């Protein structure tokens, strides 16, 4: 059993540690602080029964005022020992709710490695993201990324049709 809760400043080191264990894309601590200070409502963690952080989502609002308000998922990670339990889905949904309700985001974007089939399945099938574009050489190792988007409100419209 895990608890999904809004992150606080005391969680940032554990979030970074989770990132280092799970992902090849890593961030300096100042980047976590920047997210926490700017959009605290968008950072969520999953903690196990003894309070250990086993997953997190790091998200932000895009600051380009010439475009419609929208959020961006910077990073999502769940420790391998806690995968396939719906934790990533729960973290994503909490952050997306806050983007929409607190900041008025119209959609959320993210990048995912073309080779990351598990993450692609989560985004495309479970969370209903759609491919917006392919960004060639997006990652430091030269791998391409899918630029994916989820427009808020589309899920409700699809449910009404069913």
């Amino acid at each position: 059993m895990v608890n999904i809760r809004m992150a606080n400043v005391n969680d940032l080191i554990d979030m970074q540690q989770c990132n280092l264990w799970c992902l090849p894309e890593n961030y300096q601590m100042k980047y976590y602080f920047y997210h926490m200070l700017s959009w605290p409502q968008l950072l969520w963690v999953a903690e196990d029964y003894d309070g250990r952080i086993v997953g997190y989502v790091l998200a932000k609002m895009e600051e380009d005022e010439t475009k419609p308000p929208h959020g961006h998922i910077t990073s999502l990670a769940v420790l391998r020992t806690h995968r396939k339990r719906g934790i990533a889905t729960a973290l994503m949904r909490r952050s997306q709710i806050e983007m929409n309700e607190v900041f008025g985001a119209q959609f959320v974007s993210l990048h995912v490695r073309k080779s990351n089939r598990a993450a692609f399945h989560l985004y495309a099938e479970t969370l209903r993201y759609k491919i917006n574009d392919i960004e060639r050489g997006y990652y430091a190792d030269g791998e391409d990324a899918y630029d994916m988007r989820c427009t808020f409100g589309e899920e409700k419209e699809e449910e009404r049709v069913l």
Side-chain angles (χ1 to χ4, degrees):
M1 188 72 172
V2 298
N3 178 41
I4 305 295
R5 64 170 175 77
M6 194 177 294
N8 63 59
V9 72
N10 297 317
D11 297 319
L12 296 181
I13 291 173
D14 292 330
M15 291 169 67
Q16 185 183 45
Q17 188 65 43
C18 186
N19 171 269
L20 292 169
W21 275 103
C22 297
L23 300 171
E25 296 77 42
N26 307 124
Y27 309 101
Q28 293 181 6
M29 184 52 66
K30 66 181 179 180
Y31 198 55
Y32 291 89
F33 277 112
Y34 171 61
H35 279 69
M36 176 62 71
L37 291 170
S38 302
W39 311 280
Q41 303 91 332
L42 305 183
L43 281 67
W44 291 79
V45 294
E47 60 182 5
D48 65 8
Y49 63 92
D50 63 357
R52 183 174 65 121
I53 301 298
V54 297
Y56 74 90
V57 61
L58 183 70
K60 65 181 185 172
M61 292 300 296
E62 291 294 349
E63 298 176 287
D64 184 349
E65 293 182 12
T66 65
K67 296 181 180 179
H70 65 283
H72 183 77
I73 302 297
T74 302
S75 182
L76 170 71
V78 175
L79 293 179
R80 200 169 290 280
T81 55
H82 288 72
R83 292 183 186 167
K84 299 287 185 190
R85 300 182 190 183
I87 295 170
T89 300
L91 289 166
M92 290 287 290
R93 287 192 172 138
R94 278 305 326 161
S95 189
Q96 290 176 181
I97 287 168
E98 300 299 321
M99 283 177 194
N100 183 243
E101 293 181 0
V102 175
F103 295 102
Q106 295 178 14
F107 66 92
V108 58
S109 64
L110 58 78
H111 293 95
V112 63
R113 287 178 174 271
K114 285 183 74 174
S115 65
N116 192 340
R117 302 311 305 159
F120 182 82
H121 183 270
L122 168 70
Y123 301 135
E125 301 299 322
T126 305
L127 296 170
R128 302 207 186 269
Y129 278 68
K130 294 179 176 47
I131 296 171
N132 180 61
D133 198 4
I134 296 174
E135 296 203 25
R136 306 276 178 219
Y138 179 81
Y139 291 100
D141 63 3
E143 184 172 351
D144 296 344
Y146 290 118
D147 169 8
M148 302 185 77
R149 292 185 181 181
C150 177
T151 301
F152 298 128
E154 283 187 1
E155 300 94 9
K156 292 175 187 168
E157 290 173 18
E158 288 176 13
E159 288 172 10
R160 278 188 238 139
V161 172
L162 301 175

